[in-house]
Amino acid sequence: MAYDFTTIVSRKQTGSTKWNAMYEQNPNVPEGVFPLSVADMELKNPPQIAEGVGEYLKNSVLGYTDPTPRFYDAIVHWQKRRNQWDIQPEWIVDYPGVVPAFFHLTKFLTQPGDGVLLLTPVYYPFYEAVRNSGRTLVESALLYQDGYYTIDFADLESKAQDPRTKLLLFCSPHNPVGRLWTQEELEKVGQICLENGVRIISDEIHSDLVLTKKRRHIPFASLSEDLAQNIVTCNAPSKTFNLAGMITSYLVIPNPEIRALVLAGRRREGTFHCNIAGYRALEIAYDACEDWLEELLEVLRANRDLVEQFLRDNIPQIRPVPLEATYLQWLDCKGLGMTGMELDRFMRDEAYWFTDPGSLFGADSALFQRINLACPTSALESTLERLKQAIDHKSASAGTL
């Protein structure tokens, strides 16, 4: 490979959110352990970004800065190349993070008390966006059958038909279950929403991380003009190129009325600019780092396959849910025979496995864990071996597991 995906970088005492959380959860973590929880990578960034941003900062005045035409062009060309989606520069609204965006959008597009639909289990800030805005949480549980998740369209339609339901917060690809939605599934969801006057916020931040080679991500708003006018798409280079700390994302809003509403709401919230370096990082990532992404995808596919094979051969009590997209593997741990609290404690205190507990993503998911595969393969191997040893030790001590 042309790029370095093997170096293990310690982020201890660097302010890393998930590393800090690991030591808060267990101050006695041995050296060499690292967390596989929060969705940023334990991998080095594309060197073009560090070099390009560094050069830009050396020669710039670091004042208030708006996006330039190059920022918009980079997004337009990226979406065309990667997703065959034709968008216009004027549809793009820069935003300092996808999470702040859908927190705000939930308020901009609904009224207090309105129902907001989620397909659960789902990325936990979705719940917070609904509850913190004084809206009513409406859950439509995904169907989990034979180790695979699908949409319960009958239930979704029933919930959408309630006149109090005004918005769907949609995750595509889905975090945490790793589904890459098919065109048929998207069309069914879209039609239900159009027929019932439900607007859609589509979080597509993981759209570049497709691990199924025979398929591609389909931007929800690309399917029809009617859907384009009903959807706000949230995206960013942060997951793709490990740029979460740059606090730079963007919305694609073809509907001019919704776009005007969002721009007015953004100003009311006192939200004006992204990070000056983030604008430049996005441009470099989208214009010059596509070859790095292609190598990354091969690493992620190898890591996914490693997890599947290792668990099948050594810990069959844990079943990996098929991972079609994202670098976040959803693990069904019911076979370990623990309660949710016992599972979390075991992972944290005995296996030194610092993943995201399933309960974060929904009350019915306490016996799942979400593991971040975006790390050097050698580090993932040692993490899996540590889990095996902890389970073997517990089994020997208890006599069963």
Side-chain angles (χ1 to χ4, degrees):
M1 284 188 168
Y3 295 100
D4 180 4
F5 293 100
T6 60
T7 298
I8 300 173
V9 179
S10 173
R11 297 165 70 191
K12 185 177 182 180
Q13 297 179 338
T14 65
S16 164
T17 300
K18 66 181 175 184
W19 282 68
N20 287 351
M22 177 177 71
Y23 288 109
E24 288 170 5
Q25 292 171 37
N26 188 338
N28 300 314
V29 174
E31 285 296 322
V33 173
F34 62 93
L36 294 176
S37 52
V38 176
D40 60 11
M41 302 185 198
E42 299 302 316
L43 294 167
K44 298 177 71 173
N45 291 96
Q48 301 96 316
I49 294 176
E51 294 165 5
V53 170
E55 189 65 25
Y56 172 71
L57 294 178
K58 283 193 296 184
N59 295 288
S60 299
V61 174
L62 305 183
Y64 297 118
T65 301
D66 293 319
T68 66
R70 182 176 177 182
F71 175 85
Y72 296 112
D73 288 345
I75 295 168
V76 168
H77 295 149
W78 182 261
Q79 290 297 336
K80 178 64 174 178
R81 288 199 312 277
R82 301 298 298 188
N83 299 316
Q84 292 80 61
W85 188 22
D86 291 304
I87 63 175
Q88 301 301 315
E90 59 267 24
W91 297 353
I92 300 169
V93 176
D94 59 310
Y95 228 90
V98 162
V99 171
F102 63 68
F103 266 65
H104 289 169
L105 288 165
T106 300
K107 292 193 291 184
F108 300 163
L109 302 181
T110 62
Q111 298 298 318
D114 283 350
V116 180
L117 260 168
L118 307 182
L119 300 183
T120 59
V122 74
Y123 182 46
Y124 50 90
F126 277 26
Y127 297 97
E128 298 169 12
V130 178
R131 293 172 176 141
N132 290 352
S133 62
R135 275 53 175 175
T136 302
L137 178 64
V138 182
E139 296 186 55
S140 181
L142 296 171
L143 297 173
Y144 182 55
Q145 298 173 324
D146 300 322
Y148 193 70
Y149 284 89
T150 56
I151 297 170
D152 186 340
F153 288 104
D155 183 68
L156 176 63
E157 185 168 26
S158 174
K159 304 288 175 58
Q161 287 173 342
D162 186 329
R164 294 168 295 184
T165 301
K166 302 296 185 183
L167 185 67
L168 169 65
L169 271 179
F170 191 70
C171 199
S172 181
H174 192 88
N175 172 13
V177 309
R179 277 299 317 279
L180 179 65
W181 303 118
T182 65
Q183 181 169 333
E184 181 182 12
E185 287 171 317
L186 293 171
E187 288 174 342
K188 285 184 178 180
V189 172
Q191 191 61 35
I192 288 170
C193 290
L194 287 172
E195 289 175 353
N196 293 283
V198 176
R199 284 177 170 164
I200 300 170
I201 298 170
S202 186
D203 175 5
E204 302 187 12
I205 197 169
H206 293 277
S207 59
D208 298 319
L209 301 168
V210 174
L211 305 187
T212 303
K213 288 188 175 182
K214 294 182 179 180
R215 293 173 55 201
R216 67 174 181 88
H217 170 74
I218 301 172
F220 205 166
S222 71
L223 291 176
S224 73
E225 180 59 24
D226 286 343
L227 282 173
Q229 296 301 311
N230 195 51
I231 294 175
V232 176
T233 303
C234 304
N235 213 324
S238 52
K239 303 304 179 192
T240 311
F241 297 102
N242 206 23
L243 299 174
M246 288 293 184
I247 318 296
T248 299
S249 68
Y250 57 93
L251 314 179
V252 181
I253 314 175
N255 186 315
E257 293 181 2
I258 296 178
R259 191 164 63 249
L261 188 155
V262 170
L263 289 169
R266 186 180 71 168
R267 189 168 190 85
R268 285 198 309 274
E269 294 290 334
T271 303
F272 303 106
H273 305 277
C274 297
N275 185 309
I276 184 175
Y279 289 129
R280 188 73 185 106
L282 178 147
E283 295 162 9
I284 298 168
Y286 282 177
D287 290 344
C289 297
E290 201 161 2
D291 56 344
W292 182 90
L293 171 59
E294 292 302 327
E295 290 194 6
L296 168 70
L297 291 172
E298 290 304 313
V299 172
L300 297 180
R301 290 178 183 119
N303 284 357
R304 175 198 57 189
D305 295 346
L306 167 65
V307 169
E308 291 179 352
Q309 187 68 48
F310 187 93
L311 294 178
R312 186 163 49 247
D313 293 345
N314 299 281
I315 317 174
Q317 306 97 315
I318 298 178
R319 296 179 62 190
V321 173
L323 182 60
E324 299 171 343
T326 83
Y327 50 67
L328 304 167
Q329 176 74 69
W330 193 232
L331 302 176
D332 181 344
C333 302
K334 291 192 289 290
L336 292 174
M338 303 180 191
T339 66
M341 292 182 64
E342 289 170 343
L343 176 64
D344 293 345
R345 186 202 58 75
F346 170 76
M347 292 296 190
R348 180 186 66 238
D349 297 337
E350 298 182 45
Y352 300 120
W353 247 54
F354 295 90
T355 59
D356 281 319
S359 57
L360 281 176
F361 305 91
D364 295 333
S365 299
L367 297 180
F368 288 78
Q369 297 276 308
R370 191 192 76 172
I371 181 173
N372 184 333
L373 304 184
C375 64
T377 300
S378 63
L380 183 60
E381 288 171 338
S382 65
T383 301
L384 290 166
E385 286 290 348
R386 190 167 63 251
L387 176 62
K388 179 182 181 299
Q389 291 171 12
I391 289 175
D392 288 347
H393 176 75
K394 187 174 183 66
S395 179
S397 299
T400 60
L401 186 62

